[in-house]
């Protein structure tokens, strides 16, 4: 299985400051079709997960442009350019390129 | 608007069974694979199973293989998860999620396994 390791486990950010979350895979998550099915999800307190980013860097509809995704192969990053209070929650990476689909352990984002 | 609504959760004794349902609306249900994902209390997300568009193929994570069965009724726009031989470690919120890319999720159904 492709094990996804996220870091840091948590971060506390001052509003308006940037934040960055790393997701590293134990193996390449490039699909045999050449695409990389690496997604990022946000889970706000008490809510179900919401997809933010698909295929490494494509923002979902309605997602603020302060969220961006990048990376390739085994190393991926989610960046929030200017953290806002509504960004509080846990962020998960997930890969769908290799069987079975796997999630990272999550990164908790708090506001200072 | 895409909607996924889980139901059927509850308290079950170890060794018991439960069937979860996920009612889909607002999209062409037959055009999508569907998934079940769970989240144990205070823990992360775990993919459990998925099913292809016509229900002819199902895939499972090893930890539930042989105990859980995913199915769908396309005439009713519904997804199901039959859970047997339940264990304490199956206690979790169970989510249905749409498609190969998990682009929409339900609100979740809480399943508690306890004597």
């Amino acid at each position: 299985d492709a094990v996804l390791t996220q870091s840091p486990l948590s971060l506390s950010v001052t509003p308006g400051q940037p934040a960055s979350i790393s997701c590293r895979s134990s193996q390449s998550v490039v699909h045999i079709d050449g695409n990389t099915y690496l997604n990022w999800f946000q889970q706000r307190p008490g809510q179900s997960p919401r997809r933010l980013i698909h295929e490494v860097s494509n923002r979902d509809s309605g997602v603020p442009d302060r969220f961006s995704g990048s990376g390739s192969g085994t190393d991926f990053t989610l960046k929030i350019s200017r953290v806002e209070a509504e960004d509080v929650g846990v962020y998960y990476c997930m890969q769908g390129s290799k069987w079975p689909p796997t999630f990272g352990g999550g990164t908790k984002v708090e506001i200072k | 608007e895409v909607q996924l609504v889980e139901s059927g959760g509850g308290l079950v004794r170890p060794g018991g069974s439960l069937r979860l349902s996920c009612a889909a609306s607002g999209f062409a249900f037959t055009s999508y694979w569907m998934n079940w994902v769970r989240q144990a209390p205070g823990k992360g997300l775990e993919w459990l199973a998925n099913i292809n568009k016509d229900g002819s193929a199902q895939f499972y994570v090893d930890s539930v293989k042989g105990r859980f069965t995913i199915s769908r009724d396309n005439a009713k726009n519904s997804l199901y998860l039959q859970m047997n031989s339940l264990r304490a470690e199956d206690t979790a919120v169970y989510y249905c999620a749409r498609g190969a890319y998990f682009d929409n999720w339900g609100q979740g159904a809480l399943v508690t396994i306890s004597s």
Side-chain angles (χ1 to χ4, degrees):
Chain A
D1 297 5
V3 177
L4 301 182
T5 302
Q6 289 183 230
S7 61
L9 292 180
S10 66
L11 67 163
S12 184
V13 187
T14 301
Q17 292 301 301
S20 181
I21 300 170
S22 171
C23 175
R24 290 185 172 171
S25 176
S26 61
Q27 59 182 275
S28 170
V29 292
V30 178
H31 193 269
I32 55 174
D33 66 8
N35 294 318
T36 301
Y37 299 106
L38 189 289
N39 303 323
W40 289 96
F41 296 86
Q42 175 194 59
Q43 188 174 32
R44 289 172 170 152
Q47 295 187 11
S48 53
R50 166 201 182 194
R51 198 180 71 178
L52 298 177
I53 302 281
H54 63 96
E55 293 177 70
V56 180
S57 59
N58 298 287
R59 261 191 315 276
D60 275 278
S61 175
V63 175
D65 61 7
R66 63 178 182 274
F67 289 93
S68 64
S70 64
S72 64
T74 60
D75 288 350
F76 302 91
T77 302
L78 176 70
K79 292 184 179 178
I80 310 173
S81 59
R82 297 171 305 280
V83 172
E84 297 187 6
E86 66 177 19
D87 300 335
V88 165
V90 182
Y91 292 78
Y92 296 93
C93 58
M94 178 231 143
Q95 68 80 25
S97 299
K98 300 296 171 73
W99 195 261
T102 51
F103 291 87
T107 294
K108 187 174 185 178
V109 172
E110 299 175 320
I111 300 297
K112 280 184 182 175
Chain B
E1 178 194 5
V2 173
Q3 281 203 317
L4 298 169
V5 180
E6 298 93 339
S7 60
L11 173 63
V12 179
R13 296 191 184 282
S17 299
L18 203 61
R19 188 197 196 205
L20 301 181
S21 300
C22 170
S25 61
F27 66 99
F29 185 65
T30 55
S31 296
Y32 289 85
W33 285 59
M34 294 295 295
N35 303 272
W36 285 102
V37 178
R38 71 182 176 187
Q39 186 171 37
K43 301 297 184 182
L45 301 167
E46 179 186 26
W47 174 82
L48 296 178
N50 64 11
I51 189 167
N52 68 349
K53 297 175 186 179
D54 65 6
S56 62
Q58 307 85 32
F59 302 90
Y60 301 91
V61 70
D62 286 348
S63 60
V64 306
K65 207 173 292 183
R67 297 191 301 126
F68 291 9
T69 302
I70 188 172
S71 62
R72 64 192 295 163
D73 184 336
N74 284 345
K76 295 182 177 180
N77 286 350
S78 292
L79 176 72
Y80 305 102
L81 186 67
Q82 177 68 44
M83 303 185 293
N84 299 329
S85 304
L86 286 162
R87 308 164 179 166
E89 55 265 35
D90 295 319
T91 294
V93 175
Y94 286 71
Y95 297 100
C96 59
R98 187 180 79 162
Y101 310 121
F102 298 76
D103 61 356
N104 284 273
W105 297 56
Q107 86 289 348
L110 176 62
V111 173
T112 304
I113 312 303
S114 175
S115 55

